[in-house]
Amino acid sequence: MAACLSVMAATAQDYKVPVSEAHEPMQTGRFEPTWESLRLYEAPEWFRNAKFGIWAHWGPQCVEGSGDWMARSMYQEGSSAYKYHVEHYGHPSEFGFKDILPLFKAERWNADSLVSYYKSLGAQYFFALGNHHDNFDLWDSKYQPWNSKNIGPRRDILAEWAAAARKAGLPFGVSLHADHAWTWYEPAQRYDRSGDKMGVPYDGRLTKADGKGKWWEGLDPQMLYQQDHPLSQGSWADGMIHRQWGWENGAAQPSEAFVTNFYDRTLDVINRYSPDLLYFDVTVLPFYPLSDAGLKIAAHFYNRNIAQHNGKLEAVLFGKILNDQQRQAMVWDVERGAPNQILDEPWQSCSCIGGWHYNTAIYEGNRYKSAATVVKLLCDVVSKNGNLLLSVPLRADGTFDEKEKAILDEFGSWMRQNSEAIIGTRPWTTFGEGPIADSDIKLNAQGFNEGAYAKAGADEIRFTTKGRALYAIALAWPDDARLTIRSLATGGQRVKSVQLLGHGRIPFRQTADGLTVSLPAVPTNGIAPVLKLTLSRN
């Protein structure tokens, strides 16, 4: 991943691809586009208290139901997405991803209903997808004609999401991923290496002139695919993109026009929809360290938010794979994982109950995360001073399926009973105990270690605090209705009373081995017990 520069002021000439502010000037104010200035950031109190958000990671890649990254995979000969696309839609030399876009109709999508439901599950903030690596903008974009107002739904999706979030009283977040379209779409420059279409180029190099007489006449496919450039080193090796995610190791250098276009589109979103949170699927910041674009976006976002909140900064900006200095400038996002320790500053884990884009195979194979798994991840993350942002895949029509609904309903029921141990809490002196808590579980690149936490049983305890209350959450119900918490053995703080949320007071005994409680024979929920402990003040 990208090497992190030391904290320093930087001028335009320090960057290989400096961004232009000709269309969208950066708002000036308290923050400058330097690490030295941005490190003065402090996460707002509302975010520290929120703990749980829901994300609608939804767009035209859901049309085929082939899962995440399908707009790339459909150009990878022999992949399942390629085979499905060829069978149902046509060969990518004749029917490319651009031709999928009009099929994204969102015909059953109701933003108000969805956001209201998410809030009923306990969500304290809501995230919408603004664009993905497919480079299609889900708003009435000033700088990208390939957008949801012009094509497909013919609706400004971000505007409707924003209005629904504010109606529900939830902070509104937008995720923007299109900065990687430059390398991500490179398979669209390929061709089949076998079969009847061997050697016939895919549609990734088409130009505006090729659209004469086509449905997309007047649109330039290069504004979507961005493939009028040489391939990155080793581009035909499908996994190379992961090594080049941080723009090193041979990734094709983006042009100033492409970098500036992403910058312009991002400021367009900030200025028109005033998001409270902004998420980038990148190493550190967009185009960093090649360009100052990401630093200018950050400074603009913070300065504009301050101006809108009477001098108080209420904005949250996320980045991945951050060093200690960069974590002072924004909030660290860990994808599908968690560090195995309490962090001093708030952070976020982003995960999904299925794939990031809707995947019919996950539905048919019953491979969604269970409600119990989501609760385990949530409790573990919160015990370490983090928030969980949970994506719920939507079908192309804007609805989730009945299996997702059942999972969410069960999770919501647990949250309504136990949310006081989650929302508004802070870490205790230790985040937890148990075989997993005691293990040295490493992060893998952006994160990707959540599988270890999903296996937690009743011997895994996680702690949170609020006011004078200490909450102890067992990540499953014990078989014998007895629970012992080693961290509360005699010699430490004395326990005065124990309540089981959803039930009431329960008997307990505190010894040198720990605090042992007797749970009721009938569990209060089907997932995990939460104990509310009152400790002696001496």
Side-chain angles (χ1 to χ4, degrees), residues 236-367:
W236 279 78
D238 292 337
M240 184 62 75
I241 192 170
H242 301 291
R243 291 185 57 195
Q244 297 171 341
W245 201 248
W247 296 104
E248 82 284 12
N249 294 330
Q253 182 172 297
S255 68
E256 183 177 336
F258 177 72
V259 170
T260 297
N261 179 258
F262 179 82
Y263 167 86
D264 289 341
R265 288 154 69 186
T266 301
L267 263 63
D268 185 32
V269 167
I270 295 170
N271 295 340
R272 292 168 66 182
Y273 306 106
S274 299
D276 304 287
L277 312 97
L278 203 58
Y279 172 107
F280 297 112
D281 187 10
V282 298
T283 301
V284 188
L285 282 170
F287 305 109
Y288 186 79
L290 290 179
S291 175
D292 55 349
L295 292 167
K296 286 186 174 181
I297 288 169
H300 178 88
F301 183 46
Y302 290 164
N303 289 334
R304 190 175 187 279
N305 184 270
I306 289 169
Q308 291 178 310
H309 293 90
N310 299 316
K312 187 177 182 181
L313 180 56
E314 298 286 359
V316 181
L317 173 66
F318 298 97
K320 299 181 179 181
I321 313 182
L322 307 179
N323 65 24
D324 290 341
Q325 295 170 328
Q326 291 156 351
R327 289 182 206 172
Q328 297 175 30
M330 66 188 92
V331 173
W332 182 30
D333 180 84
V334 180
E335 183 173 349
R336 291 187 182 271
N340 215 29
Q341 64 187 64
I342 297 173
L343 299 183
D344 292 335
E345 295 300 322
W347 59 281
Q348 176 178 269
S349 176
C350 62
S351 191
C352 186
I353 69 169
W356 288 115
H357 280 97
Y358 192 82
N359 191 327
T360 304
I362 292 177
Y363 167 79
E364 293 174 346
N366 295 315
R367 291 189 282 116

Side-chain angles (χ1 to χ4, degrees), residues 38-59:
L38 294 172
R39 68 186 299 190
L40 301 177
Y41 171 80
E42 290 186 11
E45 194 72 3
W46 75 259
F47 181 75
R48 291 175 178 268
N49 290 330
K51 303 304 178 188
F52 179 61
I54 287 187
W55 189 3
H57 193 285
W58 171 66

Side-chain angles (χ1 to χ4, degrees), residues 52-57 125 127 279 320 333-338 347-357 368-370 373-378 381 387-393 408 446-451 453-454:
F52 179 61
I54 287 187
W55 189 3
H57 193 285
Y125 54 102
F127 251 96
Y279 172 107
K320 299 181 179 181
D333 180 84
V334 180
E335 183 173 349
R336 291 187 182 271
W347 59 281
Q348 176 178 269
S349 176
C350 62
S351 191
C352 186
I353 69 169
W356 288 115
H357 280 97
Y368 288 127
K369 284 183 176 68
S370 67
T373 296
V374 175
V375 167
K376 291 175 184 181
L377 295 177
L378 174 66
V381 166
N387 292 15
L388 176 65
L389 176 62
L390 182 70
S391 176
V392 180
L408 293 173
Q446 293 97 327
F448 301 111
N449 66 357
E450 69 179 10
Y453 299 101

Side-chain angles (χ1 to χ4, degrees), residues 3-77:
C4 298
L5 301 183
S6 61
V7 175
M8 59 179 289
T11 57
Q13 57 263 31
D14 293 314
Y15 298 100
K16 292 181 179 179
V17 192
V19 73
S20 169
E21 296 181 53
H23 299 130
E24 294 288 344
M26 184 197 81
Q27 181 156 335
T28 58
R30 185 185 307 170
F31 290 94
E32 298 177 358
T34 67
W35 290 116
E36 186 175 30
S37 176
L38 294 172
R39 68 186 299 190
L40 301 177
Y41 171 80
E42 290 186 11
E45 194 72 3
W46 75 259
F47 181 75
R48 291 175 178 268
N49 290 330
K51 303 304 178 188
F52 179 61
I54 287 187
W55 189 3
H57 193 285
W58 171 66
Q61 287 184 81
C62 299
V63 168
E64 297 191 26
S66 296
D68 198 32
W69 285 31
M70 69 75 52
R72 174 180 165 89
S73 300
M74 63 165 282
Y75 295 106
Q76 294 172 327
E77 183 183 8

